[in-house]
Amino acid sequence: MNNRWNKWIYSLWSPVYDYFFNQGPFLKARCEVFNGIDFQAGDKVLFVGVGTGADLALVPVNQLEITAIDYSEEMLQQARKKFTSSVIKFHRMDAQELQLPDNSFDYVIASLILYVVPDSGKTFSEMIRVTRQDGQIIIFDKFTTKPSLLKKVIRPVIKVFGTDIGLSFEKIAEGHDGQRIILLEDHPVMFGGMYRKIKIRKK
Ligand SMILES: C[S@@+](CC[C@H](N)C(=O)[O-])C[C@H]1O[C@@H](n2cnc3c(N)ncnc32)[C@H](O)[C@@H]1O
């Protein structure tokens, strides 16, 4: 995957995205991801790769200070349409190079984005950088621990559709300074553990 390809493929996905990824098991998993997150009024929350804004419907939008970024203008457009009367700050931005200050968010939310960006390690680093000390990073994504031979073979084909089926969260996290993050939660939320909710605190 590269940004140019993603931009194109998500412009195609944008009108139908919610039909596939914001109903049934996906919506149920999203609800589980946000269940128990103790947002406080005024918290600064960043949605990385917000897409059509599926997650935004599950948080108290009007009590939070929300910034939502995505590389695809078409996906952002879908999200903007749903939240016209809110004060969410939408920006077209590359998750691998966030144009946002260090230590500035109480929560950084990344749903279904690490498996999409060209460089998941760089994106994860950026997410840590912009999270404030004791702030939390919430990830909902598709990871694999031991990719089967079949997965290895079809991985490049599936990538064409804008998704990676062979990403290991452990590998992404390994490359980061373990001193800076603590894993608070890691549990399956969909499809027998293929999709997980991961909650991290920045030290
Ligand atoms: C599978 S969708 C997930 C959208 C949303 N977070 C959700 O949970 O439905 C992946 C999103 O990542 C965005 N994206 C891809 N590459 C990106 C990049 N380099 N920076 C920011 N967003 C990116 C796509 O435009 C798309 O909206």
Side-chain angles (χ1 to χ4, degrees), residues 1 4 7 24 26 53 62 66 71-72 80 84 103 124 129 138 150-152 156 185 189 191 198:
M1 265 106 62
R4 240 176 107 196
K7 192 169 172 318
F26 276 92
N62 294 323
I66 297 178
Y71 201 73
S72 158
R80 280 197 190 98
T84 42
N103 308 311
F124 187 54
R129 178 182 68 75
I138 315 287
L150 176 67
K151 261 193 182 174
K152 280 183 188 161
E185 235 183 83
V189 285
F191 298 161
I198 294 171

Side-chain angles (χ1 to χ4, degrees), residues 19-80:
Y19 179 77
F20 291 97
F21 302 108
N22 195 18
Q23 306 197 59
F26 276 92
L27 180 57
K28 193 164 167 255
R30 288 181 195 278
C31 291
E32 202 174 325
V33 168
F34 287 98
N35 185 22
I37 299 184
D38 189 20
F39 291 115
Q40 302 295 310
D43 275 349
K44 291 188 176 170
V45 184
L46 171 67
F47 286 80
V48 181
V50 69
T52 60
D55 284 347
L56 293 172
L58 304 174
V59 304
V61 165
N62 294 323
Q63 294 170 34
L64 304 171
E65 225 180 276
I66 297 178
T67 303
I69 70 105
D70 200 283
Y71 201 73
S72 158
E73 190 50 52
E74 288 82 0
M75 291 293 270
L76 280 174
Q77 213 33 53
Q78 297 290 331
R80 280 197 190 98

Side-chain angles (χ1 to χ4, degrees), residues 3 6 10 17 21 30 48-55 69-72 75 93-96 110-113 115-118 140 162:
N3 273 345
N6 274 345
Y10 280 99
Y17 182 88
F21 302 108
R30 288 181 195 278
V48 181
V50 69
T52 60
D55 284 347
I69 70 105
D70 200 283
Y71 201 73
S72 158
M75 291 293 270
M93 203 182 281
D94 187 347
Q96 303 163 114
S111 290
L112 313 180
I113 171 83
Y115 70 44
V116 164
V117 286
F140 162 45

Side-chain angles (χ1 to χ4, degrees), residues 1 5-6 9-10 13 116 156-164:
M1 265 106 62
W5 181 258
N6 274 345
I9 204 84
Y10 280 99
W13 271 117
V116 164
V157 180
I158 304 286
K159 271 191 180 180
V160 172
F161 297 96
T163 176
D164 187 350

Side-chain angles (χ1 to χ4, degrees), residues 139-158:
I139 297 168
F140 162 45
D141 223 315
K142 178 175 59 175
F143 297 112
T144 186
T145 33
K146 271 195 210 147
S148 63
L149 183 61
L150 176 67
K151 261 193 182 174
K152 280 183 188 161
V153 172
I154 61 171
R155 188 178 181 190
V157 180
I158 304 286

